[in-house]
Every structure is written in structure tokens, then in C-alpha cells.
Amino acid sequence: MFLNWKRKYINWQIKKLAKKLKRQKSFVSWDDANKIVLLISYTDLNRNFLTSALELMEGKDVHIWCFKDGKELPKLDNDLVTLFNSKSISFFQKPNKIIINKYWAQEVDLLLDLTTQEVLPLKFLAGISKAPCRCGLTKDDFDIYDFKMDMNGKVAPIDLLQQILHYLKMIKSA
């Protein structure tokens, strides 16, 4: 019951901020992308994922944003990952100002949302991203991506990343 209200609130907040956001939408090919942000759920974040994802990034400047449900926040020994948890979000799942400001402080060419299920705090970050090109998996009818993947069945985040990169490398921007 509350999940639907939370989803509507997050969608409303994204729409509200999108009007104020000065974002230049444009397709960014793989060759043109230098600074990349990945969004991923903590349940999918592991050493194998990190190793594989960084190999696929081919030396690009990558930063990973990860949400962990719950109050415990494990210590990561990796500067590439910003991990936040339930203490950093409101009841309606909106990240606090500290998280939002830190997120907005990063310059980004390409946003890759690798969540395979709806994670409202990460959906919010995807929706307010200043990246010229946002890519992700279609999860609902709320449109926040410029480049959407529609994959049937359960897909692993690393497979989603491989598919997105495959298409970004195929398409050249004019």
C-alpha cells in the first residue's frame, strides 16, 4: 500500500525537479563518453561485478552509486563506490540533500542504471541526473531514460551492462 504512494511521490519529485534542471539531452556514443555513473542495488554489488564492470569500462572515469536497504552500512575499500542506506533517505524513499548535492557535484556524460527491479532511491537519482544521456532497463511506465532496454525475464546487472555497451558502441553519434 505504501509502496504505491512512495512511487507516486518519487515520480512527482522527479517531474518537479526536471522542470528546474538544466539538462542538455543528447545521445552520447561510447567513444564520446568519458565520465560514467553506474547505479546498482547493493544486493547486486560484489567483487565479481566490480571487476567485470571495470573491465568493460575500458579505462573510462567511472563512479558507482549503490543503495543498501537497512540501517547497517558496510565499509567499502573502494573509492569508486558511493554507498548510502535507509538512514540517508526519507520515509518516501527520497535521498537527503547531502546525497543529492554530492550526486549533482559529479560531472557525468553517461548514466547507466543497472537496477533490474525498481529501487526508489536510485530511481530518484536516475531521474534527476544531469547526464546528457541516461540509459536503463524499462521497469514501469514512468519515462526517465533516453536510451531504454527492454529485456524479457530476469537479467543480471552485468548482462544488462554488456547489452547497453554493445548498443552504445554500435551507434555512433552524428
Side-chain angles (χ1 to χ4, degrees):
M1 179 172 133
F2 286 123
L3 180 61
N4 202 25
W5 287 354
K6 291 175 182 181
R7 182 179 298 117
K8 286 181 181 183
Y9 177 78
I10 291 295
N11 291 350
W12 174 70
Q13 286 290 304
I14 291 170
K15 285 180 190 176
K16 187 173 105 173
L17 284 172
K19 291 177 184 175
K20 296 178 186 177
L21 193 63
K22 291 177 176 62
R23 176 177 170 251
Q24 299 293 335
K25 279 171 92 171
S26 67
F27 180 78
V28 177
S29 71
W30 182 246
D31 293 337
D32 296 334
N34 294 315
K35 297 181 181 188
I36 301 168
V37 164
L38 304 179
L39 301 178
I40 188 163
S41 173
Y42 183 75
T43 56
D44 296 319
L45 185 68
N46 58 49
R47 192 163 306 282
N48 290 339
F49 171 82
L50 283 174
T51 304
S52 299
L54 292 177
E55 279 179 24
L56 290 170
M57 292 292 121
E58 300 172 357
K60 306 262 185 191
D61 184 7
V62 178
H63 194 86
I64 300 169
W65 283 80
C66 182
F67 175 73
K68 182 184 184 305
D69 201 11
K71 299 197 188 280
E72 302 263 333
L73 194 60
K75 184 80 173 146
L76 290 180
D77 59 347
N78 196 318
D79 294 338
L80 299 175
V81 180
T82 298
L83 181 63
F84 66 105
N85 64 0
S86 300
K87 289 182 178 179
S88 302
I89 62 173
S90 71
F91 171 76
F92 286 103
Q93 305 285 298
K94 180 182 173 187
N96 64 27
K97 288 185 188 278
I98 295 169
I99 297 294
I100 293 170
N101 289 337
K102 185 175 180 182
Y103 182 72
W104 273 347
Q106 290 182 304
E107 287 188 35
V108 181
D109 298 320
L110 187 60
L111 170 87
L112 304 178
D113 183 352
L114 303 178
T115 57
T116 56
Q117 296 178 1
E118 186 176 61
V119 180
L120 291 175
L122 294 176
K123 177 182 181 178
F124 179 81
L125 292 181
I128 66 163
S129 174
K130 294 179 182 178
C133 187
R134 303 174 186 163
C135 306
L137 185 66
T138 303
K139 295 179 214 60
D140 60 18
D141 59 350
F142 190 71
D143 191 20
I144 56 176
Y145 305 114
D146 306 309
F147 185 74
K148 296 175 255 187
M149 299 294 292
D150 190 13
M151 300 175 82
N152 296 331
K154 189 163 173 78
V155 61
I158 196 67
D159 297 330
L160 176 59
L161 177 60
Q162 288 172 334
Q163 285 296 311
I164 291 172
L165 295 181
H166 171 76
Y167 287 108
L168 287 176
K169 289 175 183 177
M170 282 179 40
I171 302 169
K172 301 288 182 192
S173 60

PDB file of all heavy atoms in Angstrom, residues 77-89:
ATOM      1  N   ASP A  77      36.168  -0.717   0.661  1.00  0.00           N
ATOM      2  CA  ASP A  77      37.536  -0.255   0.439  1.00  0.00           C
ATOM      3  C   ASP A  77      37.731   0.167  -1.013  1.00  0.00           C
ATOM      4  O   ASP A  77      38.735  -0.108  -1.628  1.00  0.00           O
ATOM      5  CB  ASP A  77      38.537  -1.339   0.836  1.00  0.00           C
ATOM      6  CG  ASP A  77      38.328  -2.631   0.058  1.00  0.00           C
ATOM      7  OD1 ASP A  77      37.280  -2.762  -0.591  1.00  0.00           O
ATOM      8  OD2 ASP A  77      39.217  -3.494   0.105  1.00  0.00           O
ATOM      9  N   ASN A  78      36.718   0.843  -1.555  1.00  0.00           N
ATOM     10  CA  ASN A  78      36.762   1.221  -2.950  1.00  0.00           C
ATOM     11  C   ASN A  78      36.269   2.660  -3.101  1.00  0.00           C
ATOM     12  O   ASN A  78      35.129   2.964  -2.758  1.00  0.00           O
ATOM     13  CB  ASN A  78      35.890   0.261  -3.767  1.00  0.00           C
ATOM     14  CG  ASN A  78      36.176   0.338  -5.231  1.00  0.00           C
ATOM     15  OD1 ASN A  78      36.359   1.418  -5.781  1.00  0.00           O
ATOM     16  ND2 ASN A  78      36.211  -0.809  -5.876  1.00  0.00           N
ATOM     17  N   ASP A  79      37.108   3.545  -3.629  1.00  0.00           N
ATOM     18  CA  ASP A  79      36.734   4.947  -3.813  1.00  0.00           C
ATOM     19  C   ASP A  79      35.782   5.162  -4.976  1.00  0.00           C
ATOM     20  O   ASP A  79      35.230   6.245  -5.133  1.00  0.00           O
ATOM     21  CB  ASP A  79      37.986   5.799  -4.037  1.00  0.00           C
ATOM     22  CG  ASP A  79      38.867   5.845  -2.803  1.00  0.00           C
ATOM     23  OD1 ASP A  79      38.353   5.606  -1.695  1.00  0.00           O
ATOM     24  OD2 ASP A  79      40.079   6.104  -2.957  1.00  0.00           O
ATOM     25  N   LEU A  80      35.612   4.141  -5.802  1.00  0.00           N
ATOM     26  CA  LEU A  80      34.728   4.266  -6.959  1.00  0.00           C
ATOM     27  C   LEU A  80      33.261   4.143  -6.597  1.00  0.00           C
ATOM     28  O   LEU A  80      32.394   4.440  -7.411  1.00  0.00           O
ATOM     29  CB  LEU A  80      35.060   3.185  -7.997  1.00  0.00           C
ATOM     30  CG  LEU A  80      36.459   3.197  -8.579  1.00  0.00           C
ATOM     31  CD1 LEU A  80      36.659   1.992  -9.484  1.00  0.00           C
ATOM     32  CD2 LEU A  80      36.703   4.488  -9.331  1.00  0.00           C
ATOM     33  N   VAL A  81      32.962   3.699  -5.380  1.00  0.00           N
ATOM     34  CA  VAL A  81      31.585   3.413  -4.980  1.00  0.00           C
ATOM     35  C   VAL A  81      31.127   4.367  -3.892  1.00  0.00           C
ATOM     36  O   VAL A  81      31.811   4.546  -2.883  1.00  0.00           O
ATOM     37  CB  VAL A  81      31.447   1.960  -4.464  1.00  0.00           C
ATOM     38  CG1 VAL A  81      30.018   1.658  -4.046  1.00  0.00           C
ATOM     39  CG2 VAL A  81      31.917   0.970  -5.522  1.00  0.00           C
ATOM     40  N   THR A  82      29.974   4.993  -4.110  1.00  0.00           N
ATOM     41  CA  THR A  82      29.301   5.743  -3.057  1.00  0.00           C
ATOM     42  C   THR A  82      28.125   4.903  -2.617  1.00  0.00           C
ATOM     43  O   THR A  82      27.217   4.621  -3.407  1.00  0.00           O
ATOM     44  CB  THR A  82      28.814   7.118  -3.557  1.00  0.00           C
ATOM     45  OG1 THR A  82      29.939   7.889  -3.962  1.00  0.00           O
ATOM     46  CG2 THR A  82      28.058   7.851  -2.466  1.00  0.00           C
ATOM     47  N   LEU A  83      28.171   4.497  -1.373  1.00  0.00           N
ATOM     48  CA  LEU A  83      27.146   3.628  -0.809  1.00  0.00           C
ATOM     49  C   LEU A  83      26.319   4.432   0.183  1.00  0.00           C
ATOM     50  O   LEU A  83      26.873   5.107   1.047  1.00  0.00           O
ATOM     51  CB  LEU A  83      27.822   2.443  -0.117  1.00  0.00           C
ATOM     52  CG  LEU A  83      26.962   1.383   0.521  1.00  0.00           C
ATOM     53  CD1 LEU A  83      26.101   0.675  -0.516  1.00  0.00           C
ATOM     54  CD2 LEU A  83      27.856   0.353   1.224  1.00  0.00           C
ATOM     55  N   PHE A  84      24.997   4.382   0.045  1.00  0.00           N
ATOM     56  CA  PHE A  84      24.129   5.030   1.027  1.00  0.00           C
ATOM     57  C   PHE A  84      23.016   4.063   1.400  1.00  0.00           C
ATOM     58  O   PHE A  84      22.753   3.100   0.703  1.00  0.00           O
ATOM     59  CB  PHE A  84      23.612   6.384   0.522  1.00  0.00           C
ATOM     60  CG  PHE A  84      22.690   6.338  -0.662  1.00  0.00           C
ATOM     61  CD1 PHE A  84      21.329   6.534  -0.502  1.00  0.00           C
ATOM     62  CD2 PHE A  84      23.186   6.140  -1.945  1.00  0.00           C
ATOM     63  CE1 PHE A  84      20.475   6.525  -1.594  1.00  0.00           C
ATOM     64  CE2 PHE A  84      22.340   6.130  -3.039  1.00  0.00           C
ATOM     65  CZ  PHE A  84      20.974   6.316  -2.858  1.00  0.00           C
ATOM     66  N   ASN A  85      22.391   4.334   2.555  1.00  0.00           N
ATOM     67  CA  ASN A  85      21.408   3.390   3.072  1.00  0.00           C
ATOM     68  C   ASN A  85      20.133   4.099   3.521  1.00  0.00           C
ATOM     69  O   ASN A  85      19.943   5.285   3.245  1.00  0.00           O
ATOM     70  CB  ASN A  85      22.007   2.562   4.206  1.00  0.00           C
ATOM     71  CG  ASN A  85      22.387   3.396   5.407  1.00  0.00           C
ATOM     72  OD1 ASN A  85      22.212   4.618   5.415  1.00  0.00           O
ATOM     73  ND2 ASN A  85      22.913   2.758   6.422  1.00  0.00           N
ATOM     74  N   SER A  86      19.296   3.382   4.243  1.00  0.00           N
ATOM     75  CA  SER A  86      17.995   3.888   4.672  1.00  0.00           C
ATOM     76  C   SER A  86      18.091   5.112   5.579  1.00  0.00           C
ATOM     77  O   SER A  86      17.143   5.890   5.660  1.00  0.00           O
ATOM     78  CB  SER A  86      17.214   2.780   5.386  1.00  0.00           C
ATOM     79  OG  SER A  86      17.015   1.699   4.507  1.00  0.00           O
ATOM     80  N   LYS A  87      19.225   5.292   6.260  1.00  0.00           N
ATOM     81  CA  LYS A  87      19.403   6.481   7.099  1.00  0.00           C
ATOM     82  C   LYS A  87      19.526   7.748   6.258  1.00  0.00           C
ATOM     83  O   LYS A  87      19.338   8.846   6.766  1.00  0.00           O
ATOM     84  CB  LYS A  87      20.649   6.339   7.971  1.00  0.00           C
ATOM     85  CG  LYS A  87      20.514   5.325   9.070  1.00  0.00           C
ATOM     86  CD  LYS A  87      21.791   5.298   9.898  1.00  0.00           C
ATOM     87  CE  LYS A  87      21.685   4.331  11.050  1.00  0.00           C
ATOM     88  NZ  LYS A  87      22.922   4.287  11.847  1.00  0.00           N
ATOM     89  N   SER A  88      19.851   7.594   4.990  1.00  0.00           N
ATOM     90  CA  SER A  88      20.089   8.741   4.102  1.00  0.00           C
ATOM     91  C   SER A  88      18.891   9.070   3.223  1.00  0.00           C
ATOM     92  O   SER A  88      19.019   9.859   2.289  1.00  0.00           O
ATOM     93  CB  SER A  88      21.290   8.459   3.201  1.00  0.00           C
ATOM     94  OG  SER A  88      22.422   8.186   3.958  1.00  0.00           O
ATOM     95  N   ILE A  89      17.751   8.456   3.505  1.00  0.00           N
ATOM     96  CA  ILE A  89      16.562   8.709   2.696  1.00  0.00           C
ATOM     97  C   ILE A  89      15.377   9.039   3.597  1.00  0.00           C
ATOM     98  O   ILE A  89      15.369   8.722   4.782  1.00  0.00           O
ATOM     99  CB  ILE A  89      16.209   7.506   1.781  1.00  0.00           C
ATOM    100  CG1 ILE A  89      15.891   6.263   2.610  1.00  0.00           C
ATOM    101  CG2 ILE A  89      17.317   7.243   0.775  1.00  0.00           C
ATOM    102  CD1 ILE A  89      15.366   5.096   1.805  1.00  0.00           C
TER     103      ILE A  89
END
